[in-house]
């Protein structure tokens, strides 16, 4: 049973918030502070109480000393202390894909599952090669043409 979710590059919280009902605790990570404010507001508007959002670089999330807190009274927990055997990491990076720094810390953290969404299949393929080489199995991939008559597709 998967109990924890880490949503890297979470933006305004779409994947974290829509998946929250399946997890005990969800953490969204995004470098853009305005997006974190929006994600937090989205959680409140939708009465989602098990998601917390942190303004931080995805490249440093597993090393961060900023605790994920669900309320002001909560002591919080470090993302690195989420139980690896029951944690899913969602990765939705920009078109350039994941940095080597991010991928190295992901491999070191070694979550049970990795779900990778991408707006550039070429960088997704590049990153997936490393993810598979580090012990993960590619289960499926599904392209979506969200931008008809352009060269952009999502996977």
């Amino acid at each position: 049973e998967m109990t924890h979710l880490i949503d890297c590059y979470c933006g305004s919280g779409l994947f974290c918030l829509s998946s929250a009902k399946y997890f005990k605790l969800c953490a969204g990570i995004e470098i853009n502070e305005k997006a974190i404010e929006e994600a937090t507001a989205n959680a409140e508007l939708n009465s989602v109480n098990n998601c917390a959002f942190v303004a931080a670089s995805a490249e440093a999330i597993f090393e961060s000393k900023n605790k994920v807190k669900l309320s002001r009274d909560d002591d919080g927990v470090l993302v690195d202390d989420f139980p690896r055997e029951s944690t899913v990491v969602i990765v939705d990076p920009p078109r350039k894909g994941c940095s080597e720094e991010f991928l190295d810390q992901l491999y070191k953290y070694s979550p049970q599952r990795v779900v990778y969404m991408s707006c550039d299949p070429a960088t997704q393929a590049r990153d997936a090669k490393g993810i598979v080489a580090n012990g993960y199995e590619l289960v499926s991939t599904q392209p979506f043409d969200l931008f008809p008559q352009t060269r952009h597709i999502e996977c």
Side-chain angles (χ1 to χ4, degrees):
E1 176 188 17
M2 299 297 105
T3 60
H4 289 69
L5 174 70
I6 302 168
D7 183 0
C8 299
Y9 311 95
C10 75
S12 59
L14 173 68
F15 299 120
C16 196
L17 293 169
S18 61
S19 302
K21 64 184 175 185
Y22 302 106
F23 298 94
K24 291 180 184 174
L25 179 59
C26 301
I29 313 306
E30 171 62 50
I31 198 163
N32 182 324
E33 291 186 24
K34 178 66 174 163
I36 291 301
E37 291 173 15
E38 293 168 352
T40 301
N42 284 337
E44 290 173 11
L45 284 170
N46 291 287
S47 301
V48 177
N49 301 316
N50 63 332
C51 288
F53 298 94
V54 178
S57 168
E59 283 73 17
I61 190 53
F62 299 108
E63 299 168 357
S64 175
K65 299 304 176 199
N66 294 332
K67 292 186 176 183
V68 175
K69 297 183 177 188
L70 294 177
S71 70
R72 292 177 197 212
D73 299 329
D74 185 5
D75 289 336
V77 62
L78 297 173
V79 170
D80 194 49
D81 290 336
F82 280 22
R84 288 154 172 76
E85 68 280 356
S86 60
T87 295
V88 175
V89 174
I90 293 178
V91 181
D92 185 15
R95 282 195 173 93
K96 66 180 182 176
C98 297
S99 69
E100 284 298 317
E101 184 180 11
F102 173 79
L103 290 171
D104 287 344
Q105 71 166 347
L106 178 69
Y107 305 149
K108 182 179 175 187
Y109 177 74
S110 190
Q112 180 67 32
R113 291 186 188 150
V114 176
V115 177
Y116 191 126
M117 266 84 60
S118 177
C119 52
D120 187 343
T123 57
Q124 183 183 39
R126 178 201 68 206
D127 294 346
K129 184 177 179 181
I131 292 169
V132 169
N134 277 274
Y136 290 92
E137 175 186 358
L138 180 60
V139 175
S140 69
T141 184
Q142 176 65 54
F144 293 93
D145 187 5
L146 299 176
F147 307 103
Q149 300 178 16
T150 72
R151 65 179 190 88
H152 298 291
I153 61 171
E154 304 276 324
C155 290

